[in-house]
Amino acid sequence: MPTRADINYFGAGPALLPTEVLEDAAKALVNYNDTGLGIAEHSHRSEIATTIINEAKADLASYLDIPDNYEILFMQGGGSGEFSATAYNLVGAWVARKHKELGSEDSSAEKLKSAVKNLKLDYIITGGWSKKAAAEAERLFGSEHVNIVADSRKSNDGKFGTIPEESTWNLSKDAAMVYYCDNETVDGVEFPQFPKSLEPKGDDGPIVVADMSSNILSRKIPIQNFSAIFFGAQKNLGSTGITVVIIKKSLLPQPSVALMKQLGLPIPPRILEYEAIAKSNSLYNTLSIFDVYIAGRVLKKLLQQYPDKVQGQQAVSESKAQLIYSALEAHPSVYKIVPDKTVRSRMNICFRIQGSDAAEQNFLKQAATLGLTGLKGHRDVGGIRASNYNSVSVDGAKKLASFIGTFASQGGNQ
């Protein structure tokens, strides 16, 4: 029977968590701070819960250098819920902005109706998650309001694995938002840096929204380039159950329900309305305080471990990724790395073994006997995927890199 110390887990999510955080959480689940109750039993309206939420928000802001003009929200529904929430809320913010520009005259509603005809939500499709986000926007608002800025499959033989050149992007002039997924877990594609064509141009936008579910906390982010960032907790932050949104406070106010209905636009369920969640300090409904607690403990550990905050973790993440990619590159006749070299993810290292599916199954079987688990590729694409999240140790990355070399020296199919 293997112990926790025997396993190096490379699963894509839910992902590995620091052992000391789990041990602390296990105690808190039974008896939190000698209160006689477990943390999951305390009211989410209690002072204990409020303190946990506020400390987690403060530590996240410190670790990522989030400015005061942004709000941090703890929500539910995962990244998939945010595909809907971002579209709902930022269309609302767009309407509020247009309404203010047009003034309050009687004719403003008619002018707004005319303006809504040109409403666009922009999507940059580079993998399965951005594809799903765009599809959700089409389902909610109609294809006439969704603009596909770029689709990497069109220039890559129908497959994901690249990011189209920015010179080919077809950005709308006044989009309610421009969405992209910073790291695509399925195909191992990561934006190497913030896109130049989306850099701020004064006060007029663009309104940039990023899904950072799988690479948050792993590298420094130019927060002020974004209008909103969202991420599920279960990759680098904590356990499954909470989703975090970082959003400019100026985008929180929403137009009236009556106005949205008059314009023929959908309104979000209250539980997905950022303004309502912000006003209640993320306690509009019963939030899982236990999951916020775990996230908070992860953040405190990171802040203690890295005096230079996220930059320290970034150096480690890049080092681990380089170890694994170098091992793969050393044996090109055995391994084929899936994405183009210019967009290789540091978080999800996707590769195939040349020859046959049987060779990949043998790789997975041999790896498991060494305690290298969670390496099976996504069900839609197959292959091998090593998810190199923050809690994967340097020693774990070294062990995987060593096995990659050993397997190749055996001929890649032993």
Side-chain angles (χ1 to χ4, degrees):
M1 184 74 109
T3 67
R4 186 172 178 84
D6 296 327
I7 299 298
N8 289 281
Y9 182 62
F10 295 90
L16 193 69
L17 284 167
T19 298
E20 55 267 45
V21 168
L22 290 178
E23 290 172 342
D24 175 79
K27 293 177 183 177
L29 190 57
V30 176
N31 187 352
Y32 177 69
N33 281 3
D34 294 325
T35 59
L37 288 176
I39 193 168
E41 297 166 310
H42 280 282
S43 170
H44 63 297
R45 304 291 183 192
S46 67
E47 185 177 342
I48 285 173
T50 300
T51 298
I52 289 169
I53 290 170
N54 290 342
E55 283 189 7
K57 288 169 64 173
D59 287 343
L60 180 61
S62 175
Y63 185 73
L64 291 179
D65 285 330
I66 300 172
D68 291 340
N69 61 323
Y70 285 77
E71 184 62 73
I72 297 170
L73 312 174
F74 292 113
M75 300 182 67
Q76 296 163 60
S80 296
E82 292 308 313
F83 296 161
S84 303
T86 52
Y88 277 134
N89 284 274
L90 290 169
V91 164
W94 182 89
V95 169
R97 188 166 62 252
K98 292 295 177 184
H99 193 214
K100 185 177 179 180
E101 289 173 2
L102 292 171
S104 58
E105 296 87 357
D106 293 339
S107 61
S108 64
E110 289 304 314
K111 291 179 180 177
L112 266 176
K113 284 182 181 179
S114 179
V116 163
K117 293 177 183 177
N118 297 317
L119 167 67
K120 293 294 181 183
L121 293 156
D122 279 9
Y123 287 83
I124 302 165
I125 298 179
T126 56
W129 294 114
S130 47
K131 176 187 172 186
K132 288 182 178 181
E136 180 68 353
E138 287 190 4
R139 190 179 72 86
L140 295 175
F141 290 92
S143 58
E144 69 274 18
H145 292 304
V146 174
N147 173 48
I148 305 304
V149 172
D151 186 331
S152 61
R153 293 170 296 181
K154 292 184 177 180
S155 57
N156 195 46
D157 296 325
K159 297 179 180 180
F160 294 122
T162 63
I163 296 175
E165 290 288 336
E166 290 187 43
S167 60
T168 68
W169 291 7
N170 177 36
L171 290 161
S172 301
K173 185 177 180 181
D174 182 31
M177 71 176 198
V178 183
Y179 164 97
Y180 75 96
C181 182
D182 204 41
N183 184 77
E184 293 276 6
T185 59
V186 176
D187 298 280
V189 171
E190 183 176 29
F191 279 76
Q193 63 272 320
F194 187 84
K196 285 194 171 297
S197 58
L198 300 183
E199 288 178 353
K201 300 174 178 66
D203 296 329
D204 297 327
I207 308 296
V208 181
V209 174
D211 178 352
M212 294 189 179
S213 290
S214 51
N215 65 350
I216 195 68
L217 310 185
S218 73
R219 68 178 181 185
K220 191 170 177 60
I221 303 168
I223 297 287
Q224 299 207 66
N225 287 1
F226 297 94
S227 295
I229 297 167
F230 68 83
F231 45 96
Q234 67 274 12
K235 314 285 187 177
N236 281 327
L237 180 61
S239 53
T240 306
I242 56 168
T243 309
V244 182
V245 177
I246 303 168
I247 183 167
K248 281 186 176 178
K249 292 177 180 178
S250 61
L251 293 171
L252 290 173
Q254 294 289 297
S256 69
V257 170
L259 177 59
M260 292 295 281
K261 287 184 175 180
Q262 189 177 2
L263 296 173
L265 293 172
I267 57 172
R270 189 74 76 185
I271 195 63
L272 295 182
E273 187 182 272
Y274 294 154
E275 186 176 24
I277 304 303
K279 285 179 177 178
S280 63
N281 194 27
S282 298
L283 292 171
Y284 179 78
N285 69 325
T286 306
L287 183 68
S288 175
I289 300 302
F290 179 60
D291 292 318
V292 179
Y293 177 76
I294 292 177
R297 301 311 296 178
V298 169
L299 287 164
K300 287 187 185 300
K301 183 178 184 300
L302 287 169
L303 287 166
Q304 291 167 1
Q305 189 173 0
Y306 300 113
D308 52 351
K309 302 178 183 179
V310 71
Q311 291 175 179
Q313 179 63 64
Q314 179 172 337
V316 174
S317 297
E318 291 172 354
S319 175
K320 291 188 298 174
Q322 187 58 43
L323 280 168
I324 299 169
Y325 278 121
S326 293
L328 294 168
E329 288 176 330
H331 304 281
S333 63
V334 177
Y335 303 110
K336 174 177 170 44
I337 301 170
V338 173
D340 185 79
K341 190 171 185 177
T342 60
V343 297
R344 287 178 184 171
S345 169
R346 299 161 304 120
M347 296 288 103
N348 306 102
I349 299 167
C350 298
F351 59 96
R352 304 302 302 253
I353 297 175
Q354 314 274 22
S356 67
D357 289 342
E360 291 181 344
Q361 293 304 313
N362 194 32
F363 179 96
L364 293 170
K365 184 177 179 180
Q366 287 193 38
T369 65
L370 298 173
L372 301 167
T373 64
L375 289 164
K376 187 177 181 179
H378 190 275
R379 63 186 179 276
D380 288 346
V381 297
I384 314 293
R385 173 174 56 176
S387 293
N388 178 39
Y389 299 133
N390 287 355
S391 291
V392 171
S393 68
V394 174
D395 285 344
K398 287 179 178 178
K399 190 172 182 179
L400 176 58
S402 176
F403 171 67
I404 287 169
T406 299
F407 187 82
S409 69
Q410 296 172 346
N413 58 5
Q414 299 301 308

